[in-house]
């Protein structure tokens, strides 16, 4: 499997930028010993801020890869170059966001990462919480875990939305954030990845573990954008699996 973007930018990000950020922000990091040092593992986290995808690799005892919107890598000029190199530096790879085939392609790319023995970070809520509550998890993370056999380490992030709230262009210097790594979850007892019930139950177990770490208020709903037309409203009301 090819590994795009792992080069000088990643080395600088992992061994220079991340230590400086830890020194500057002085985060509380709990449970680092719960992250397996070798082999495939999924870090499943709540999602409060843009900087979550930097906080997790910064706190992790091993390199972490994750997927980011392809638009972050496509810009032109100095700004585009800086954005592209920044995301490569923190271990991100580009992916087209969306439903249908785009979502399946993203899952397939993450599956290849796990099969290569990597640690990959995922946000089961799908997108950032704009009100600080913890939303229901989508089943893609459980599908990957059940299909590959990779353990899931739940992650609870606290305070990242205060450093960089949704909509902010730059992070604040304070307050301090907390990154909590929970004990690895073996979800195989729920059943095979082909079972919708197994995926749902495994996802709920993951979200319960994240909730125990983050202490957020539960939204008891999916984090979805408001429906733009009658078809979308019907789709959100009808029971279906959210990946």
């Amino acid at each position: 499997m090819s590994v795009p973007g792992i080069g000088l930018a990643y080395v600088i990000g992992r061994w220079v930028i991340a230590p400086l950020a830890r020194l500057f922000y002085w985060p509380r990091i709990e449970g680092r010993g719960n992250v397996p040092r070798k082999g495939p593992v999924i870090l499943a986290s709540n999602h409060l801020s843009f900087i979550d995808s930097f906080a997790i690799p910064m706190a992790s005892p091993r390199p972490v890869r994750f997927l980011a919107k392809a638009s972050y890598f496509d810009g032109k000029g100095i700004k585009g170059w800086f954005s592209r190199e920044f995301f490569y530096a923190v271990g991100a790879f580009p992916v087209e966001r969306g439903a249908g085939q785009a979502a399946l392609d993203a899952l397939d790319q993450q599956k290849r990462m796990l099969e290569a023995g990597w640690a990959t970070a995922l946000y089961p809520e799908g997108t950032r919480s704009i009100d600080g509550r913890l939303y229901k998890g989508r089943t893609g993370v459980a599908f990957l875990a059940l299909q590959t056999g990779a353990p899931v380490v739940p992650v609870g992030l606290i305070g990242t939305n205060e450093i960089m709230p949704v909509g902010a262009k730059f992070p604040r210097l304070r307050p301090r954030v907390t990154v909590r790594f929970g004990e690895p979850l073996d979800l195989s007892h729920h059943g095979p990845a082909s079972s919708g019930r197994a995926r749902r139950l495994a996802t709920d177990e993951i979200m319960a573990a994240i909730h125990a770490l983050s202490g957020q208020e539960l939204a008891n709903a999916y984090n979805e954008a408001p429906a733009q037309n009658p078809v979308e409203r019907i789709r959100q009301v009808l029971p279906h699996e959210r990946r």
Side-chain angles (χ1 to χ4, degrees), residues 123-156:
Y123 303 115
E125 294 171 277
T127 188
R128 284 171 282 177
S129 171
I130 61 173
D131 58 12
R133 295 185 297 168
L134 183 67
Y135 285 80
K136 291 182 66 175
R138 298 169 186 270
T139 61
V141 61
F143 175 80
L144 285 171
L146 294 174
Q147 189 176 56
T148 65
V152 175
V153 172
V155 182

Side-chain angles (χ1 to χ4, degrees), residues 28-29 60 75 81 99 146 152 156 160 165 171-172 189 220 230:
R28 298 181 184 90
I29 304 174
S60 172
W81 175 88
L146 294 174
V152 175
T160 54
R172 301 168 180 168
H189 62 279
N220 295 317

Side-chain angles (χ1 to χ4, degrees), residues 196-217:
R197 175 178 171 80
R199 294 192 297 269
R200 183 70 262 163
L201 291 175
T203 301
D204 290 345
E205 181 178 346
I206 293 168
M207 297 309 296
I210 293 174
H211 177 243
L213 295 168
S214 71
Q216 292 165 270
E217 178 185 349

Side-chain angles (χ1 to χ4, degrees), residues 6-22 32 54 57-58 60-65 88-91:
I6 295 300
L8 181 60
Y10 183 79
V11 172
I12 293 173
R14 177 69 181 170
W15 300 111
V16 179
I17 298 176
L20 286 175
R22 286 195 295 268
R32 280 168 57 95
F54 184 68
M58 177 186 66
S60 172
R62 62 181 286 188
V64 178
R65 276 77 172 193
Y88 281 147
V90 297

Side-chain angles (χ1 to χ4, degrees), residues 207-236:
M207 297 309 296
I210 293 174
H211 177 243
L213 295 168
S214 71
Q216 292 165 270
E217 178 185 349
L218 294 175
N220 295 317
Y222 291 100
N223 193 1
E224 296 180 319
Q228 300 298 314
N229 55 60
V231 174
E232 290 185 3
R233 284 195 290 272
I234 293 172
R235 183 176 181 275
Q236 289 183 3

